Amino acid sequence: MQNIPHVPVLYREVLEAFKDIENGIIIDCTMGYGGHSSMILDANPHAKLIAIDQDQTAIDFSTKRLEKYGDRVSIRKGRFSSVIKDILNEVDIRDIKGVLADIGVSSLQLDQKDRGFSYESDNLDMRMDKGASLTASEVVNEYSAKELENILLEYGELRNYKKITSEIIKNRPFSSAKELSDTLKSHMPHGKKIHPATLLMQAIRIEVNDELGELKSLLKSLEDAQFPHAKIAIISFHSLEDRIVKQTFSKWSKSCICPQEVMRCMCGNDNALGKIVTRKPIMAKDDELKENVRSRSAKMRVFEMDR
């Protein structure tokens, strides 16, 4: 484990989103190195924070990093889609003032080559939770052609998904991410500012960790909670994730939910959960892009619940 933690993406924008929270609880659904968590605690000295992560390595590191905040911090292990439900049942919903979710693979996981997230890794794992059953090796070496085509098209948005699938099947079994990326490098998109294997690795990782399902489940839990007043900030790194967040926030902001064919409102016109704070996604500024290349695809949307 490295000694110096990374600077989390959109750190200034996250602090801006939660700047008016003077007390109560803020939930960090994706703790990682604890970068966002520590900054939020420093900027909101009277608030408490509940941090969630499914990665024991992250929990071990951040428990030490955040111990100086004492009882202001509570750390929970598990997938945020399920842990958030437990938290909402345990605490007074009125005390929750903010929820942050930084969706996707963390720098902690990318930095450790033995986790299999990097295209330079010597294994093929990609599990955010090491105790989970499905691995990247199973996806790559055991999925049918149809299953591989589906994830490469949907999660990787790769136009030549059929050709890539054919090459995977022809050359498998693969024992490492490096072997996989090297074998398929010539068939991957070139000319962008990313490694040719990035979209392939992304598609496999999303499948292994059910990332889109996790995001949808989290948003459904937050919708059902209907906080009296809370800021919801979601950072995504993939167009599909951002689309899910955008569409969900739009749905939450609608006061009338009657079908379009209805001539007159019959629903009471009082169904909005709050308002959209960011009509367009917030993205990293030039100085952050220079310091942290991983911030280039980050997009944050913020919703203010007010029931």
Side-chain angles (χ1 to χ4, degrees), residues 35-263:
H36 283 129
S37 291
S38 59
M39 288 181 171
I40 289 171
L41 287 163
D42 286 338
N44 305 77
H46 302 295
K48 292 187 175 182
L49 183 133
I50 300 175
I52 304 170
D53 210 291
Q54 61 182 311
D55 190 324
Q56 188 60 48
T57 304
I59 291 174
D60 292 342
F61 180 89
S62 293
T63 296
K64 293 180 180 179
R65 182 178 186 183
L66 301 176
E67 66 181 355
K68 65 181 180 180
Y69 300 102
D71 62 4
R72 292 179 60 204
V73 181
S74 172
I75 297 175
R76 311 288 184 89
K77 184 178 189 298
R79 287 177 172 247
F80 55 71
S81 64
S82 58
V83 176
I84 193 77
K85 295 176 183 177
D86 296 334
I87 294 171
L88 296 178
N89 288 327
E90 293 171 11
V91 306
D92 188 332
I93 203 74
R94 294 170 296 182
D95 290 337
I96 298 177
K97 304 298 183 183
V99 177
L100 170 68
D102 182 349
I103 306 299
V105 65
S106 72
S107 293
L108 180 152
Q109 292 154 343
L110 285 171
D111 291 340
Q112 293 181 299
K113 288 187 178 181
D114 64 331
R115 300 296 297 275
F117 288 97
S118 168
Y119 47 80
E120 292 291 338
S121 296
D122 292 327
N123 63 10
L124 200 52
D125 193 321
M126 296 193 193
R127 290 173 297 173
M128 293 180 181
D129 178 359
K130 290 183 179 180
S133 58
L134 183 63
T135 68
S137 179
E138 292 175 59
V139 172
V140 172
N141 294 319
E142 299 178 21
Y143 269 30
S144 68
K146 186 61 177 177
E147 290 171 320
L148 286 172
E149 286 178 358
N150 286 340
I151 68 169
L152 294 180
L153 175 60
E154 183 176 357
Y155 301 156
E157 299 179 303
L158 290 160
R159 293 182 180 180
N160 60 335
Y161 62 95
K162 288 183 178 290
K163 176 61 176 175
I164 296 171
T165 297
S166 176
E167 289 297 316
I168 290 174
I169 291 176
K170 183 172 71 175
N171 290 281
R172 67 188 188 183
F174 293 92
S175 61
S176 71
K178 188 177 190 311
E179 181 188 2
L180 178 68
S181 62
D182 286 348
T183 301
L184 298 172
K185 189 182 299 183
S186 62
H187 302 286
M188 304 305 296
H190 286 71
K192 296 184 178 181
K193 296 180 179 179
I194 58 175
H195 188 278
T198 299
L199 297 180
L200 170 65
M201 303 294 282
Q202 169 186 278
I204 298 168
R205 190 200 77 223
I206 290 174
E207 172 68 12
V208 169
N209 298 287
D210 187 25
E211 292 176 32
L212 299 185
E214 281 285 288
L215 173 59
K216 291 176 182 177
S217 181
L218 170 66
L219 292 170
K220 182 64 168 63
S221 294
L222 298 179
E223 178 180 332
D224 292 343
Q226 296 194 15
F227 303 102
H229 189 79
K231 288 276 190 72
I232 312 296
I234 310 290
I235 301 173
S236 63
F237 294 82
H238 187 285
S239 60
L240 290 176
E241 295 167 345
D242 181 58
R243 193 176 307 140
I244 290 169
V245 177
K246 179 182 179 180
Q247 291 173 348
T248 300
F249 284 3
S250 177
K251 172 189 170 185
W252 290 356
S253 68
K254 293 185 184 301
S255 185
C256 176
I257 57 174
C258 291
Q260 289 185 344
E261 60 269 19
V262 175
M263 299 295 292

Side-chain angles (χ1 to χ4, degrees), residues 285-302:
K285 295 181 173 63
D286 289 343
D287 62 335
E288 182 177 353
L289 291 172
K290 291 178 182 178
E291 295 174 1
N292 182 7
V293 68
R294 293 173 185 168
S295 68
R296 64 188 167 206
S297 56
K299 295 181 179 180
M300 183 172 75
R301 294 184 185 271
V302 182

